[in-house]
Amino acid sequence: MENKRFPLFMDLSGRKAVVIGGGTVGLRRAEVLRRFGAEVTVVSPSLLRPVDGIRHIARRYQPGDLAGAFLAIAAANDPSVNEAAGQEARHLGVLFNRSDCRSGCDFFFPAICEGEGLVAGVAGDGSNHARTARAAGEIRKILEKEEHMT
């Protein structure tokens, strides 16, 4: 049985976050991290679209890209790139999440649900993404309903 993950809410203000990969998943995670105050850099040959407040380094990941990072997300379309980033993160003591493989992750990236001063994070064990998405959707409906009632 895999260990359960403890939900931890932390202040990311001013902390460096590096996202490897500028596709749909990488950019979505970069935007969430930025919204929560992280100083986000995306390392990827291309970016789905530019986002204000997110720095883009237009090239493939290279060792050294995680220097000074508090946390790193590997969301490249190449598993070998994600693995290399994970090795660097472990070596540097950087909190690490890999979008394509739950093993080796220090944390799971939750579905974020926000409303009226509340933040909820929903994370599954990785076995049923649709179930996690449904649960997050239901929580978002509740939070939206609460917002409209105030």
Side-chain angles (χ1 to χ4, degrees):
M1 180 176 146
E2 184 174 334
N3 291 337
K4 291 183 180 181
R5 303 289 174 137
F6 177 77
L8 178 67
F9 291 81
M10 58 189 342
D11 184 2
L12 295 179
S13 299
R15 294 184 184 231
K16 181 179 176 183
V18 178
V19 177
I20 309 300
T24 303
V25 173
L27 190 57
R28 184 174 58 235
R29 291 182 180 186
E31 288 176 310
V32 168
L33 292 168
R34 179 69 192 118
R35 199 166 71 239
F36 281 85
E39 293 179 3
V40 181
T41 298
V42 175
V43 179
S44 178
S46 62
L47 194 60
L48 195 59
R49 61 182 159 61
V51 177
D52 285 341
I54 293 177
R55 179 176 172 230
H56 176 218
I57 298 175
R59 62 165 169 70
R60 287 179 56 90
Y61 161 81
Q62 298 173 3
D65 284 342
L66 304 186
F70 174 71
L71 67 83
I73 307 288
N77 290 329
D78 182 344
S80 66
V81 169
N82 293 339
E83 179 62 29
Q87 289 175 7
E88 180 180 3
R90 282 185 289 283
H91 176 75
L92 296 175
V94 173
L95 291 173
F96 180 71
N97 172 269
R98 182 174 169 174
S99 66
D100 65 344
C101 177
R102 64 185 175 175
S103 66
C105 290
D106 296 314
F107 67 97
F108 292 164
F109 202 97
I112 300 294
C113 310
E114 296 178 86
E116 200 62 34
L118 297 173
V119 176
V122 180
D125 63 6
S127 65
N128 190 334
H129 295 292
R131 182 174 182 222
T132 303
R134 279 193 311 273
E138 291 301 313
I139 293 168
R140 287 183 186 114
K141 286 179 192 175
I142 291 167
L143 294 177
E144 287 172 7
K145 189 177 186 180
E146 291 291 323
E147 265 187 7
H148 297 302
M149 293 176 70
T150 57

